[in-house]
């Protein structure tokens, strides 16, 4: 059931805009909630595979990142990008491996920083990518990363050296994601991808507002799963761009890694992200209809639907995912009562918000907050 259906019988006056709350009313003086994207708990299941194989205490690792282990039992649960980045750092320390036990031989902490130090002295992106891949070939035994060019297209190709396992396939996806993030940082702009091939199987379709997987949203291009090789494809002309980073910018980059790999140079130009930014301003009010949004963007409703369909999104799913992410942020970072959280994300009735949130994440909002508070205090 979509939010539109949940609210179909409610008259417009039932939604109370935050701006209409009198001064001093609960929630009136709270800033607009942060609406960063969240990450599916399915990613947690994959990223802890290696640590679990090594016998690490997964619950303890999750708690260090302020993530409730109970969320692993809720297939639709979400965590913040900061929590996911904290989990990556925690697992790196515990496993003493930059790939968290996913590969047959660990990659010692410091290799990523060593590679970045070498790359900033290269003249072009192509020089940097080849230098970085050469370095990593000294540390990787499960797959071989190569840069290929053909007919104007460049491909970062990962050739497996060992039998495919879920751990190795996730490690390859991780390597491709990190290499792409570093490449974007080196040239200080997002490199548009022509396609992504992943050896990993396609994730199980999850219930909830978002149709795109987290992987598809990060790469912002078609992702083909179950392929013989993991590969990123892009126009070879990007390889000629100069490296613009230096020692001073490198330290700030390393200090904020891996979080900046999740958020930096995100594609905010796509139509879905433009709509999401516009909707943030109306989050506590009745969100615009598709026809109203089309008018604001100077598009016909038919064109808006078609362009969103081309991006793999739907207008209702954008609205629902924004409300979900904003609600999660408010539950984690404020002490607003649940009724006020509901108002802040556009629900006049707490019961309707309760049903919608449980549909989005698999747990009720009060239970979600309680779990997070317990982990933060642990």
């Amino acid at each position: 059931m979509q939010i539109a259906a949940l609210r179909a019988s409610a008259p417009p006056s039932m939604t109370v805009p935050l701006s209409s709350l009198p001064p001093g009313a609960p929630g009136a003086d709270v800033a607009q909630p942060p609406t960063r994207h969240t990450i599916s708990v399915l990613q947690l299941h994959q990223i802890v595979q290696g640590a679990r194989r090594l016998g690490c205490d997964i619950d303890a690792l999750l708690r260090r990142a302020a993530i409730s282990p109970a969320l692993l039992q809720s297939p639709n649960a979400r965590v913040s990008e900061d929590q996911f980045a904290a989990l990556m750092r925690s697992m790196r320390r515990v496993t003493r491996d930059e790939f968290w036990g996913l590969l047959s031989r660990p990659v010692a902490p410091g290799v990523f920083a060593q590679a970045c130090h070498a790359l900033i002295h290269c003249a072009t992106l192509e020089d940097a990518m080849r230098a970085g891949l050469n370095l990593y070939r000294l540390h990787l035994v499960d797959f071989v990363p190569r840069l290929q060019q053909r007919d104007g297209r460049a491909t970062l190709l990962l050739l497996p050296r060992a039998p495919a396992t879920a751990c190795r396939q996730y490690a390859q996806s991780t390597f491709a994601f990190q290499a792409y993030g570093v490449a974007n940082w080196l040239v200080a702009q997002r490199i548009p991808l022509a396609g992504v091939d992943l050896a990993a199987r396609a994730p199980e379709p999850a219930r909830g507002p978002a149709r795109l997987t987290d992987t598809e949203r990060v790469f912002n291009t078609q992702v083909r799963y179950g392929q013989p090789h993991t590969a990123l494809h892009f126009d070879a002309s990007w390889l000629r761009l100069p490296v613009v980073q230096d020692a001073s910018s490198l330290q700030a980059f390393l200090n904020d890694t891996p979080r900046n790999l999740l958020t930096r140079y995100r594609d905010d130009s796509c139509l879905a992200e433009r709509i999401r930014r516009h909707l943030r301003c109306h989050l506590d009010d009745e969100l615009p209809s598709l026809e109203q949004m089309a008018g604001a963007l100077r598009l016909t409703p038919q064109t808006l639907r078609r362009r969103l369909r081309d991006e793999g999104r739907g207008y209702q799913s954008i609205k629902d995912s924004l409300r979900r992410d904003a609600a999660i942020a408010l539950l984690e970072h404020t002490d607003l009562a649940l009724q006020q959280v509901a108002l802040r994300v556009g629900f006049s009735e707490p019961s309707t918000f309760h049903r919608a949130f449980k549909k989005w994440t698999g747990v009720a909002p009060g239970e979600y907050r309680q779990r997070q508070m317990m982990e933060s205090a642990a």
Side-chain angles (χ1 to χ4, degrees), residues 211-233:
R211 289 168 54 194
L212 286 182
T213 65
D214 293 323
T215 303
E216 291 165 332
R217 179 171 53 79
V218 166
F219 288 122
N220 194 35
T221 191
Q222 179 187 11
V223 176
R224 298 184 298 181
Y225 295 92
Q227 300 302 301
H229 306 115
T230 292
L232 306 184
H233 308 283

Side-chain angles (χ1 to χ4, degrees), residues 25-237:
D29 57 349
V30 178
Q32 187 70 18
T35 50
R36 290 180 180 172
H37 286 284
T38 55
I39 295 173
S40 169
V41 73
L42 298 178
Q43 292 287 334
L44 295 186
H45 283 286
Q46 294 189 74
I47 202 171
V48 301
Q49 292 178 98
R52 193 184 301 278
R53 183 174 63 86
L54 296 176
C56 298
D57 186 337
I58 302 302
D59 287 1
L61 286 168
L62 293 170
R63 290 190 177 102
R64 289 179 187 177
I67 298 172
S68 169
L71 292 182
L72 292 181
Q73 308 307 316
S74 303
N76 289 342
R78 313 284 298 186
V79 298
S80 69
E81 291 172 333
D82 286 343
Q83 287 174 311
F84 195 73
L87 177 61
M88 294 167 73
R89 290 193 299 270
S90 179
M91 290 199 303
R92 178 177 175 271
R93 288 193 298 269
V94 169
T95 63
R96 299 192 60 78
D97 180 3
E98 294 198 340
F99 285 88
W100 321 299
L102 292 168
L103 298 173
S104 58
R105 190 175 77 184
V107 175
V111 171
F112 179 84
Q114 178 187 356
C116 290
H117 276 283
L119 303 188
I120 61 173
H121 299 291
C122 295
T124 66
L125 179 61
E126 179 176 2
D127 295 338
M129 289 189 69
R130 293 194 184 281
L133 298 182
N134 285 338
L135 187 150
Y136 266 98
R137 281 197 286 270
L138 300 176
H139 298 274
L140 297 170
V141 297
D142 296 72
F143 61 89
V144 180
R146 297 193 182 282
L147 180 64
Q148 299 180 344
Q149 292 187 64
R150 180 179 298 174
D151 300 328
R153 172 174 285 196
T155 297
L156 171 61
L157 181 65
L158 308 184
L159 298 171
R161 275 181 169 175
T165 65
C167 283
R168 291 190 179 107
Q169 290 174 343
Y170 192 72
Q172 290 175 35
S173 301
T174 298
F175 184 91
F177 163 73
Q178 292 184 351
Y180 180 56
V182 172
N184 288 332
W185 172 73
L186 287 170
V187 298
Q189 56 185 304
R190 185 182 180 92
I191 301 169
L193 294 172
V196 173
D197 298 331
L198 295 181
R201 293 185 306 168
E204 292 292 331
R207 296 174 298 152
R211 289 168 54 194
L212 286 182
T213 65
D214 293 323
T215 303
E216 291 165 332
R217 179 171 53 79
V218 166
F219 288 122
N220 194 35
T221 191
Q222 179 187 11
V223 176
R224 298 184 298 181
Y225 295 92
Q227 300 302 301
H229 306 115
T230 292
L232 306 184
H233 308 283
F234 56 99
D235 194 300
S237 62

